[in-house]
């Protein structure tokens, strides 16, 4: 045992000596000679070490590598059975979690009789390395695949394709949908890695609970189903696999709820894009590139977001003081006046939704919402950009029945006829109708809730009638004043002529 210990000590001493010599060679020999020695050493190593290695890094080109994500999902089940150290992530609306390989752990795989080894590693950035980007990570993860060189063709062909296919299927199965919002530009990190913040998307809305005309609702569902199955069709006609929806209507008519229902129906992530925090068109493109496939990109209240809607029309004709006061875009301009605001242009936004950059990823839906469709530039909402225009209108009887089922669990009631008549005579948003249907006591009495709604509808009807009378009176007074002024001007003209 003593002699064996001395032998190991002698071997360690020799290895240390060789490492010192090699370090000396690297320091003092010319670069060309070092490159040559590296090449020779690689060839010698290839003779005695018959294994090939493939590395897949987590981030490439400033964004997360989809291949890395697929491998992570593929190795999840194998990691559970083989690895000693695992990491857990929440999936499926935080109701369960999935296990994956932790760093420096190795997993063995077999494919068509070929044995392969996977290991998760991290490369550590040197502390002396200078980076122009803030928040540059000190460690960068990557998977390393090792296999015998005689199996190169099988691994590079069938095996890697198999891993990608299985990994993506598992990734979709365990997908935890997220709600993203873009960070301000000055907080973007290393190579654009941190462009978006996200939280788990757990909105419960669905088309079943959406207060809307059933026929209109079914048309939207059919369109979404057709879009999800149209990959080959879009490739055939030479168009990017994307679709645009414009949701317009008064506040409280369910535009945000519609977006949540679409995301839940398709199982897509949601990217809530705040245009006012984007500095310029270039940064807008970076945000688009950093979104994933199977996602919905939303710009809410597009008419209030930036000075880019209806811009060309404003140059052609001025606005009256009353029009400027009622224009949310004009108010936004005054609010941003004098500050270093966003320089995103209409041209940049059009390129974002319909230009060459819109084809940077498949299976995306772009949604604009607005309360004032007439204030949007026609170029922004034409077909091909916003393919489907969906009017989110005031609550009608069919939508009310959905709300009554949701909130009171009733399909019919003697008061339904009264409610239906009042909904035809006055305008009330689904949001306001729902608020009146919410039980205010633990008893949840259906008739009490419906009576509350009838009372609210009668008040709204009376208020609308008074407003209409007031408006008619104001117009009548204005017409009289206008008539008097015209008569006075006529008299003055005749007097001057005489």
């Amino acid at each position: 045992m003593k002699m064996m210990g001395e032998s190991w000590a002698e071997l360690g001493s020799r290895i240390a000596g060789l490492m010192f010599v090699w370090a000396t060679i690297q320091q003092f020999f010319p670069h060309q000679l070092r490159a040559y020695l590296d090449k020779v050493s690689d060839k010698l190593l290839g003779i005695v070490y018959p294994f090939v290695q493939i590395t897949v890094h987590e981030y490439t080109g400033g964004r997360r590598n989809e291949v890395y994500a697929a491998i992570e999902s593929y190795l999840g089940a194998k990691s559970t059975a083989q690895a000693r150290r695992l990491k857990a992530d929440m999936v499926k609306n935080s109701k369960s979690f999935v296990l994956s390989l932790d760093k420096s752990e190795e997993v063995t795989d077999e494919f068509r009789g070929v044995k392969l080894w996977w290991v998760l590693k991290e490369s550590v950035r040197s502390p002396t390395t200078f980076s122009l980007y803030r928040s540059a990570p000190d460690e960068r993860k990557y998977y390393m695949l090792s296999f015998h060189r005689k199996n190169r063709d099988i691994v590079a062909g069938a095996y890697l394709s198999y891993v990608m296919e299985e990994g993506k299927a598992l990734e979709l199965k365990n997908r935890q949908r997220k709600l993203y919002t873009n960070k301000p530009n000055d907080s973007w990190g290393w190579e654009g890695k941190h462009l978006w913040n996200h939280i788990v998307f757990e909105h419960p809305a669905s088309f079943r609970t959406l207060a809307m005309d059933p026929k209109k609702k079914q048309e939207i569902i059919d369109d979404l189903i057709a879009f999800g199955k149209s990959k080959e069709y879009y490739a055939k006609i030479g168009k990017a696999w994307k679709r645009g929806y414009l949701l317009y209507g008064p506040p409280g008519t369910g535009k945000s709820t519609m977006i949540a229902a679409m995301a839940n129906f398709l199982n897509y992530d949601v990217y809530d894009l705040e245009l006012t925090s984007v500095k310029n068109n270039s940064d807008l493109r970076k945000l688009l590139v950093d979104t994933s496939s199977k996602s919905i990109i939303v710009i809410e209240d597009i008419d209030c977001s930036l000075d880019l809607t209806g811009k060309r029309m404003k140059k052609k004709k001025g606005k009256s003081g009353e029009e400027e006061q009622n224009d949310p875009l004009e108010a936004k301009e005054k609010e941003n006046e004098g500050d270093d605001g966003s320089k995103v242009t209409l041209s940049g936004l059009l390129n974002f939704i319909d230009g060459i950059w819109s084809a940077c990823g498949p299976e995306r839906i772009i949604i604009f919402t607005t309360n004032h469709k007439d204030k949007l530039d026609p170029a922004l909402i034409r077909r091909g950009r916003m393919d489907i225009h969906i009017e989110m209108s005031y609550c009608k009887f069919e939508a009310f029945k959905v709300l009554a089922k949701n909130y009171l669990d009733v399909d019919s009631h003697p008061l339904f006829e009264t409610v239906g008549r009042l909904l035809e005579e006055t305008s009330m948003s689904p949001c306001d109708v729902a608020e009146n249907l919410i039980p205010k006591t633990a008893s949840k009495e259906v008739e009490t809730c419906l009576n509350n709604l009838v009372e609210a509808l009668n008040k709204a009807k009376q208020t609308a009638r008074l407003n209409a009378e007031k408006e008619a009176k104001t117009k009548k007074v204005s017409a009289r004043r206008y008539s008097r002024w015209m008569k006075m001007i006529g008299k003055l003209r005749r007097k001057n002529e005489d």
Side-chain angles (χ1 to χ4, degrees), residues 284-319:
L284 184 62
R285 288 194 294 269
K286 290 177 184 177
L287 286 167
L288 175 63
V289 170
D290 202 47
T291 59
S292 63
S293 59
K294 293 185 179 295
S295 63
I296 297 176
I297 302 171
V298 180
I299 302 178
E300 294 199 85
D301 297 321
I302 183 67
D303 53 309
C304 302
S305 293
L306 286 176
D307 180 16
L308 49 79
T309 54
K311 197 172 193 177
R312 292 175 293 182
M313 292 184 288
K314 286 193 292 179
K315 288 182 179 179
K316 292 181 181 179
K317 59 180 182 179
K319 291 185 176 181

Side-chain angles (χ1 to χ4, degrees), residues 26-273:
Q26 286 186 316
Q27 184 174 359
F28 293 103
F29 274 51
H31 174 74
Q32 292 84 354
L33 181 57
R34 277 188 287 159
Y36 175 75
L37 290 174
D38 287 339
K39 187 176 180 180
V40 172
S41 64
D42 287 341
K43 287 185 177 181
L44 292 174
L45 184 62
I47 296 173
V48 297
Y49 186 77
F51 291 93
V52 177
Q53 294 177 333
I54 298 176
T55 59
V56 181
H57 291 268
E58 183 177 12
Y59 285 91
T60 57
R63 63 179 302 180
R64 199 165 194 263
N65 190 352
E66 291 186 7
V67 179
Y68 179 95
I71 293 171
E72 186 175 44
S73 298
Y74 173 76
L75 295 177
K78 299 181 183 298
S79 302
T80 306
Q82 298 182 29
R84 293 177 300 160
R85 290 183 299 173
L86 302 166
K87 60 180 180 180
D89 295 304
M90 298 300 296
V91 297
K92 292 295 180 186
N93 297 325
S94 302
K95 294 179 181 178
S96 62
F97 59 87
V98 63
L99 299 175
S100 58
L101 197 65
D102 201 0
K103 63 181 179 180
S104 301
E105 284 293 304
E106 185 178 87
V107 168
T108 305
D109 195 14
E110 188 171 334
F111 181 77
R112 296 182 185 177
V114 176
K115 198 170 184 180
L116 310 102
W117 296 266
W118 287 98
V119 62
L120 177 62
K121 293 192 173 185
E122 289 183 349
S123 59
V124 182
R125 183 174 62 91
S126 172
T128 58
T129 302
F130 176 74
S131 175
L132 294 174
Y133 302 96
R134 285 182 285 179
S135 304
D138 295 327
E139 297 177 341
R140 302 178 186 178
K141 297 179 183 179
Y142 64 93
Y143 281 107
M144 179 179 288
L145 171 64
S146 302
F147 56 93
H148 199 284
R149 61 190 175 197
K150 68 180 180 181
N151 300 314
R152 181 190 295 267
D153 293 339
I154 294 177
V155 174
Y159 177 68
L160 291 180
S161 298
Y162 169 77
V163 169
M164 282 294 296
E165 184 178 344
E166 290 294 312
K168 286 186 175 180
L170 288 169
E171 188 178 4
L172 184 61
K173 179 182 177 182
N174 298 323
R175 180 185 178 97
Q176 174 62 74
R177 287 181 299 110
K178 297 173 183 177
L179 172 62
Y180 293 85
T181 184
N182 53 303
K183 289 184 176 182
N185 298 60
D186 55 6
S187 65
W188 287 7
W190 162 73
E191 295 182 4
K193 177 181 174 182
H194 306 287
L195 307 188
W196 300 89
N197 285 322
H198 70 266
I199 60 173
V200 175
F201 183 77
E202 295 181 314
H203 199 294
S206 67
F207 280 107
R208 182 186 63 81
T209 60
L210 185 65
M212 192 181 215
D213 180 78
K215 292 182 179 179
K216 196 172 182 181
K217 191 189 302 186
Q218 190 59 48
E219 289 176 3
I220 298 168
I221 292 173
D222 292 342
D223 188 75
L224 292 173
I225 293 173
F227 172 77
K229 297 179 179 179
S230 299
K231 181 179 180 179
E232 291 78 12
Y233 176 76
Y234 276 87
K236 176 184 176 182
I237 63 176
K239 289 188 65 177
W241 190 12
K242 65 175 184 62
R243 196 146 180 82
Y245 288 81
L246 175 68
L247 308 183
Y248 65 96
T253 51
K255 293 184 285 293
S256 297
T257 306
M258 168 66 80
I259 294 169
M262 293 169 73
N264 287 328
F265 182 77
L266 295 169
N267 197 26
Y268 281 10
D269 291 329
V270 178
Y271 288 84
D272 183 16
L273 178 59

